[in-house]
Amino acid sequence: TLFPYPTLFRPGPTDNTVIVCTSDHGEGIGSHQRTRKNVLYGESLNVPLIVSWPGSIPADALDRRHVVSGLDIMPTLCACAGVAAPPRQRGHNLLPLVAGNQLQWREFCVSEVAANRGRMVRTPDFKYIVYRDDPVVQLFNLREDPGELRNLAGNGAFADVLQAHRALLSDWEKHLDVPAGVPSPEAFI
């Protein structure tokens, strides 16, 4: 989501300034009977990402199609500054995307809650959620159920979608680079 802050931008030193407004997490605010951020529903995960850079990023652009992550902010700011992003980081430079270029983009994004207790795979249309030591998994069709109220994990019509999301998470976990000495480095599913 991109839009300009015209009152912030006046000719002068701000012409070469990139402004990023975002948050590290949302809050439950009572949705799903939760008031905190310790679950993987949209209210805890979906945060604004507003970027303004006059003359470099189109004003008033809005993108709701692509799955982006907070990890994308650092390589994007590195690109704005004309420096290479650190090696082995997992984020993507958002500049080609916000410029409206047609490009291959990530298929999914993974998020987790404290102490590896739960993980979520988000694709453009679905969300898969699993918690350690909990036999209930969740699958939501975000196009038809943006409030995440109908768990489709037990619906046979979505068995292929569920399996595909499990495979995405499993493959993602296999590529984690866990430093030595981490108390619980193994995947929990």
Side-chain angles (χ1 to χ4, degrees), residues 110-121:
V110 175
S111 188
E112 59 191 39
V113 290
N116 263 349
R117 192 176 60 78
R119 288 196 177 141
M120 177 268 329
V121 174

Side-chain angles (χ1 to χ4, degrees), residues 9 12-13 16 20 22-23 26 42-43 48 58 63-64 68-69 72-73 86 99 115 117 123 150 153 179-180 185:
F9 292 109
N16 65 355
V20 177
T22 190
S23 174
E43 292 82 11
D63 183 327
R64 295 182 189 271
V68 300
S69 166
D72 298 330
I73 295 170
R117 192 176 60 78
T123 58
R150 293 182 300 277

Side-chain angles (χ1 to χ4, degrees), residues 1-2 12 15 30 35 40 45 48 50 57 63-64 76-77 88 95 105 127 135 138-139 147 157 169 171 178 188-189:
T1 304
L2 308 170
D15 289 348
T35 56
L40 294 163
L45 295 174
I50 303 165
I57 294 177
D63 183 327
R64 295 182 189 271
T76 302
L77 292 177
R88 300 176 57 198
L95 291 181
W105 194 249
K127 181 190 285 185
Q138 296 172 300
L139 179 71
L169 182 57
D171 186 58
V178 181
F188 63 85
I189 55 172

Side-chain angles (χ1 to χ4, degrees), residues 36-136:
R36 301 193 61 211
K37 62 181 188 254
N38 58 348
V39 293
L40 294 163
Y41 293 120
E43 292 82 11
S44 297
L45 295 174
N46 298 336
V47 297
L49 176 57
I50 303 165
V51 182
S52 182
W53 190 14
S56 297
I57 294 177
D60 299 323
L62 177 64
D63 183 327
R64 295 182 189 271
R65 294 176 294 137
H66 296 92
V67 178
V68 300
S69 166
L71 297 174
D72 298 330
I73 295 170
M74 189 259 302
T76 302
L77 292 177
C78 287
C80 292
V83 299
R88 300 176 57 198
Q89 56 82 31
R90 292 181 173 239
H92 298 293
N93 174 8
L94 294 168
L95 291 181
L97 186 67
V98 299
N101 298 332
Q102 295 297 320
L103 66 146
Q104 290 287 79
W105 194 249
R106 72 168 52 92
E107 179 183 359
F108 67 98
C109 197
V110 175
S111 188
E112 59 191 39
V113 290
N116 263 349
R117 192 176 60 78
R119 288 196 177 141
M120 177 268 329
V121 174
R122 170 70 158 84
T123 58
D125 294 327
F126 289 91
K127 181 190 285 185
Y128 167 68
I129 302 173
V130 60
Y131 293 96
R132 182 177 40 211
D133 302 325
D134 187 342
V136 176

Side-chain angles (χ1 to χ4, degrees), residues 8 31 40 44 79 108 135 147 158 176 187:
L8 294 177
S31 294
L40 294 163
S44 297
F108 67 98
F158 292 91
L176 289 176

